[in-house]
Amino acid sequence: WTIQDILDDIDLNSNDLRNKFDTNYVRDEMWAGEDTEGLLELFEQDPAFGAYLQSPYLTTLYQGWCRGHLLLRSAASGVGKSRMSVGDLCNISALQMWDDNAQDFIGNRNYQGPSFFIHTEMKTREEINPLFLACISGVEYRDITNGRLTPEQRKRVLKAGEILIDSQIKISDMPDFTSQSIDRKIKEMVDRYGASYGVFDYVQLQSCLAGEYKSRTSVPPREDLVLKSLVTDLKSMAEKYNVGILSMTQLNDSWKTAD
């Protein structure tokens, strides 16, 4: 053997060890088509389809809301991003929901277990919690927050509160978030409460996140790069903790003139 042959052989052996043990090098590896029968049996027993979203169209397009996946929505300011995300979270985490046809609370067949809602702007008790109560009870949000409920509506909202307590949806206010603090909170939700889904409302630039990005990269925090980094981290968190994460971004004003 030449010296080069020896070095090449050492490199091959070293790469074999890396492929087997170093997940930062290669997380997983196989030959295409390997164990096809076993794969088909896996899908027959456990189809690759996630929980149902509120929209049947989006449920079909996304193959459902799957654990280990990040769903990212973009919409203009004031169109109801938070409300839609609360609705989707209740759709998979509320044990019961109000049904207008039955005129009663019925069991949720789409129930997936405890979940979390991380928000950054509104008041938890007075603004976010009523969104959940409205979604579960079928009573208008404004009627709840304006304090103008009929006796029957009040009874429904109180019942919705009991259902939410049993459903274990944790609401956390984190205005000074960083990627690291979000990761820590999601890990806590998974380890302590067994959460399988959650919402982060919403991807935005603020000083703590920008400072974290600068300390990690030594690069001035340009908005698009910081937001891209956060979204990439959220995707990694979804995979690392096997949770379904839903988040949102806000469109800039150019959407008004876009064809």
Side-chain angles (χ1 to χ4, degrees):
W1 283 23
T2 66
I3 294 296
Q4 188 60 51
D5 290 336
I6 296 171
L7 291 175
D8 289 343
D9 190 62
I10 291 172
D11 281 341
L12 285 173
N13 287 322
S14 177
N15 284 336
D16 287 342
L17 289 171
R18 249 188 220 101
N19 287 331
K20 188 173 182 181
F21 297 110
D22 186 0
T23 56
N24 290 325
Y25 176 57
V26 173
R27 185 171 61 178
D28 192 19
E29 195 169 53
M30 64 174 284
W31 291 106
E34 183 181 335
D35 189 25
T36 300
E37 185 175 1
L39 181 65
L40 294 178
E41 291 175 357
L42 172 67
F43 287 146
E44 288 164 2
Q45 295 171 11
D46 186 18
F49 199 95
Y52 285 92
L53 296 156
Q54 293 181 105
S55 165
Y57 297 104
L58 293 181
T59 299
T60 301
L61 287 170
Y62 298 157
Q63 284 287 101
W65 186 1
C66 297
R67 294 178 65 172
H69 289 194
L70 169 68
L71 299 184
L72 188 66
R73 295 175 180 163
S74 296
S77 176
V79 302
K81 294 187 293 295
S82 297
R83 291 169 187 260
M84 287 188 284
S85 63
V86 166
D88 280 322
L89 199 61
C90 288
N91 203 45
I92 56 99
S93 285
L95 287 164
Q96 294 177 289
M97 296 185 73
W98 178 263
D99 184 271
D100 283 331
N101 294 325
Q103 283 297 295
D104 198 0
F105 291 94
I106 62 172
N108 182 6
R109 293 183 296 172
N110 194 41
Y111 177 73
Q112 303 292 317
S115 63
F116 57 88
F117 187 93
I118 300 171
H119 70 100
T120 61
E121 291 184 334
M122 296 188 281
K123 295 179 181 178
T124 302
R125 186 164 185 256
E126 296 90 346
E127 295 180 295
I128 297 294
N129 195 47
L131 288 173
F132 284 90
L133 292 170
C135 184
I136 300 296
S137 67
V139 176
E140 285 289 337
Y141 175 83
R142 289 183 181 179
D143 290 340
I144 296 174
T145 57
N146 289 338
R148 292 200 300 256
L149 297 178
T150 65
E152 191 274 334
Q153 287 177 324
R154 181 180 176 85
K155 182 179 178 182
R156 274 165 56 182
V157 174
L158 288 173
K159 176 63 176 177
E162 295 175 4
I163 293 170
L164 282 166
I165 290 293
D166 293 336
S167 300
Q168 290 192 296
I169 303 173
K170 178 73 85 171
I171 307 172
S172 302
D173 183 10
M174 298 178 64
D176 299 320
F177 67 89
T178 61
S179 180
Q180 186 178 31
S181 66
I182 296 169
D183 187 294
R184 188 182 301 118
K185 175 56 67 175
I186 292 176
K187 185 178 188 303
E188 175 194 341
M189 294 294 104
V190 173
D191 291 346
R192 179 169 292 181
Y193 304 107
S196 52
Y197 286 87
V199 169
F200 175 67
D201 182 22
Y202 61 98
V203 174
Q204 58 185 290
L205 181 65
Q206 43 90 322
S207 58
C208 293
L209 184 65
E212 179 190 51
Y213 178 83
K214 186 175 181 181
S215 66
R216 276 169 43 178
T217 63
S218 300
V219 174
R222 207 177 76 192
E223 184 174 14
D224 59 330
L225 295 179
V226 177
L227 298 186
K228 179 179 181 294
S229 175
L230 176 58
V231 170
T232 302
D233 288 343
L234 286 171
K235 170 60 178 167
S236 297
M237 294 172 206
E239 293 180 347
K240 180 165 60 173
Y241 301 119
N242 192 31
V243 296
I245 298 178
L246 170 63
S247 191
M248 295 79 73
T249 65
Q250 188 164 296
L251 298 177
N252 58 32
D253 284 342
S254 63
W255 72 269
K256 297 176 182 178
T257 56
D259 291 337

